Amino acid sequence: MPLDINDDPLDRSRFPLDEWALTETRFNADDLGVTESLFSVGNGYLGLRGNYEESRDAHVDGSYINGFHETWPITHAEEAYGFARVGQTIVNIPDAKVIRLYVNDEPLQLSTADLLDYNRTLDFRTGVLSRTLLWRTPSGTRVEVKSTRMVSLSQRHLAVMTFEVTLLDGNGPVQISSQVLNRQDLPKEGPEAKKGGIADPRKAEAFRGRVLLPKVSEGDLETGRLWLGYQCADSGMTLGLVTDHTLETANPYRATVHTDDDSVKMIYRIQAQQGTPITLTKLVSAHTADSVPPRELLDRCERTLDRVTEEGLQHQYAEQRSWLDGFWQRADIEIPGHPAIQQATRWNLLALAQASARAETYGIPAKGVTGSGYGGHYFWDTEIYVMPFLTYTMPYAARNAMRFRLSLLDSARTRAGELSQKGALFPWRTINGHEASAYYAAGTAQYHIDADIAYALSQYVGATGDTEFLDREAVDIFVETARLWADLGFWRMHPNKERTFHIHGVTGPDEYTAVVNDNLYTNVLARFNLRRAVEAVEALAEGDPAAYAQMVRRTDLEADEITEWSDCAKGMFIPFDEHLGIHPQDDHFLEREMWDLANTPSSVRPLLLHHHPLVIYRFQVLKQADVVLALFLQGEDFTPEEKLADFEYYDPITTGDSTLSAVVQSIIAAEVGYQDLAYRYFLAALFVDLADRHSNTADGVHVASTGGVWSALVSGFGGFRDLGSDEHEGQFTIDPRLPVGWESLTYRLCLRGTRVRVTVRANALELVIEDGDEPLTFSVRGTSITVTAAEPVTVALADQGPRIAGSPKAPSEIVREDGTVISSVVPTGDTRRMPVPTGH
């Protein structure tokens, strides 16, 4: 099912097709927030939104550093023990993007300017955002303005900007004011000053008082260097930011410096001659810390800039290109003949790199460093949606992400104690390691975060063979999370003397069903967690007794705990309804009535913004795939028939209100045979941000969705699965589902230090080792295939799996085992429920 021009969600007169770039050919003030996110540049540590240097036209003028946050006390209307106490929100750091331009004393303001030409491009190969425009001033002078912006992927603390101005008609005065502004504490301008309407929990919290306390504000006219240093008022975190300026022109000019608590400026007044360019180069370095004095951080910034100055500007661009060349060699996915899909895919992949490449000692925020959505918090999304991409294409970044989670283990132990549990309970949303969700029902109750982290760790170790990291320290995650599950659950004895292990009072990934008993996803992933902990501990005891002894010392592990974990895993209760032939999402899910999504007005979607949580909780309705996600992550535990039945039941009642849902639905739809539907879900995910499908891209890029796009291509259409145990000969399996109309799909996987290229065609699968010497073994539809560096392997494919037309529909009548009928209704505000239309 190729994407044709009628399906393309982008205006190609404005965003032309280019498989290696996103280009905008005209300015539009109506969607500034969206384009600011789309044209952001970052490296996982430092991020700059795609704001215009010289213009006040902005939705949010944003610059962010991963993990740099302010804290604030969470006020609960009614208190209870164990509630989250301290909120955490990412801080908008001082904005170094600002370069104001005045020609003949007239400011360049894009929304009112007479623009004769406009072009803005984010180049996927170089990571450079460039822009060229031709401006005719009110006096008729044509001015050419060129700018570039790059956040270095090789230099973690560096951003590089250039700004070039040329008068094309006559001579005249030009003023360039290069600034660094503390926007966090300045009065808000533009749309962000007019926020109102429906409260949206996806947005960041607003601060009421001053956030950044000024410590240093200095400028040196001779060197063109500016310094700003701050400390957060409550969290105590510190920031140092230094900028260097170099002006190159044959025109005469003079410069001045201005400094105050919330801004530093280099101001250039130039007597411009026609055709003589004026080029400003602006280098920015930023460092943050938990408590290091700002003056010391400024010293670090200076060291960064001094080194960059010695190396030269072209060296920075060359390093960036080299870094991205290596990235695309490992991570590129090729879809020949479909330029719109190819362009969107590469934009999503670059967004992943920009969110994670240099995150290092921090996590990966839900919006990366492109916006303040979700307060800059880290969620379970990272482990399930982003970590697979990192593990199989950027293993070093995956290791960093797991080391960050490991650094939070002590806080997680404390949190488990607050909830009267043994082991560790990682926070559902956090920056500093403490739970930041004030709404426990959809926050703290998501205990599955423990199993998600254990799953990601297991996947990383299995794919990379990095047992040193596991044995030396990360095994503690398996121990403490398994300990939590064994303590949280309980045994129930049945009349036939069978014992089953149950977990009550939790919330699964689907936030439209909260605080339930035996949530299927939670139980399935907890079972995996327990099994994997047993495997890891036993392997460590046998393989490295000294490391095992150190682990026991760190965790106070007792021998009988390992037996307990094994028993809990074997006895784990997995809900299954024999009458309907499906896995209920939780123990009481089928007792609820079904929300009639087909007759729910679009004006009340997403449901979370228009209905009280209690209303939603009373129905069979899903914000995002829950059972279906379990089918993907632990597919080996379900039969093909069970997967099909579960998918057909849950798909019609899944709203897709979460951007995490479409990718998983696409993967399982492809596997069970709904391949046209899988393609539609894939397109919905592929263009989540590029087409602003959820109307909140302005708050930042949906990083988990971009990771999910990779999984939809590699695991969905590409058919790749990792069974997660290096003792399993068929650990890596491939069973592809190439969409109709696609000539081929090519993706890469880094496995055990070897990179293999996988190409799927309608009638064959090709495996080629691109880098590394170690052979790799795959199970391709049940047949073991070994590929070596010496010889590519081609496997004939009889088909691309089963095909089922259309999409699952909610049946007109569902009868429970007790004979009662599950009704399908739309809750309304007049205390009545709308009946189901005939034939629904």
Side-chain angles (χ1 to χ4, degrees), residues 227-352:
W227 297 264
L228 276 178
Y230 291 96
Q231 182 172 31
C232 289
D234 205 31
S235 73
M237 291 196 74
T238 50
L239 165 73
L241 191 150
V242 178
T243 58
D244 274 356
H245 296 80
T246 303
L247 190 74
E248 298 176 277
T249 183
N251 297 304
Y253 71 92
R254 62 188 181 91
T256 57
V257 170
H258 169 83
T259 65
D260 60 39
D261 284 349
D262 290 311
S263 68
V264 287
K265 303 176 184 179
M266 280 293 299
I267 303 169
Y268 298 95
R269 294 179 174 85
I270 307 112
Q271 295 300 317
Q273 306 297 308
Q274 178 178 331
T276 304
I278 305 160
T279 303
L280 175 68
T281 300
K282 187 174 187 178
L283 305 178
V284 182
S285 182
H287 283 255
T288 57
D290 289 338
S291 58
V292 175
R295 182 64 73 177
E296 183 176 333
L297 295 180
L298 292 172
D299 290 343
R300 298 179 188 179
C301 293
E302 291 197 79
R303 284 194 290 272
T304 299
L305 294 181
D306 290 344
R307 182 180 63 254
V308 169
T309 300
E310 291 173 3
E311 294 170 341
L313 196 61
Q314 292 310 310
H315 178 79
Q316 310 311 317
Y317 291 130
E319 275 200 337
Q320 182 88 336
R321 179 61 188 256
S322 177
W323 194 99
L324 282 167
D325 284 347
F327 170 78
W328 291 116
Q329 286 173 3
R330 299 187 308 272
D332 194 21
I333 296 178
E334 299 167 53
I335 309 150
H338 300 275
I341 293 175
Q342 184 68 79
Q343 178 189 40
T345 295
R346 286 185 174 132
W347 181 89
N348 277 267
L349 296 179
L350 181 63
L352 279 166

Side-chain angles (χ1 to χ4, degrees), residues 53 95-100 177-181 183 282:
E53 295 90 340
D95 186 3
K97 302 187 302 291
V98 184
I99 304 175
R100 306 282 192 213
S177 177
S178 178
Q179 307 177 12
V180 185
L181 299 179
R183 295 189 184 277
K282 187 174 187 178

Side-chain angles (χ1 to χ4, degrees), residues 9 39 81 111 146 388 421 650 738 802:
F39 288 100
Y81 179 80
S111 58
K146 298 179 180 179
Q421 305 293 163
Y650 288 104
L738 190 70

Side-chain angles (χ1 to χ4, degrees), residues 491-500:
W491 290 97
R492 178 170 289 170
M493 184 69 73
H494 298 269
N496 62 358
K497 305 302 183 182
E498 178 189 8
R499 290 198 315 160
T500 52

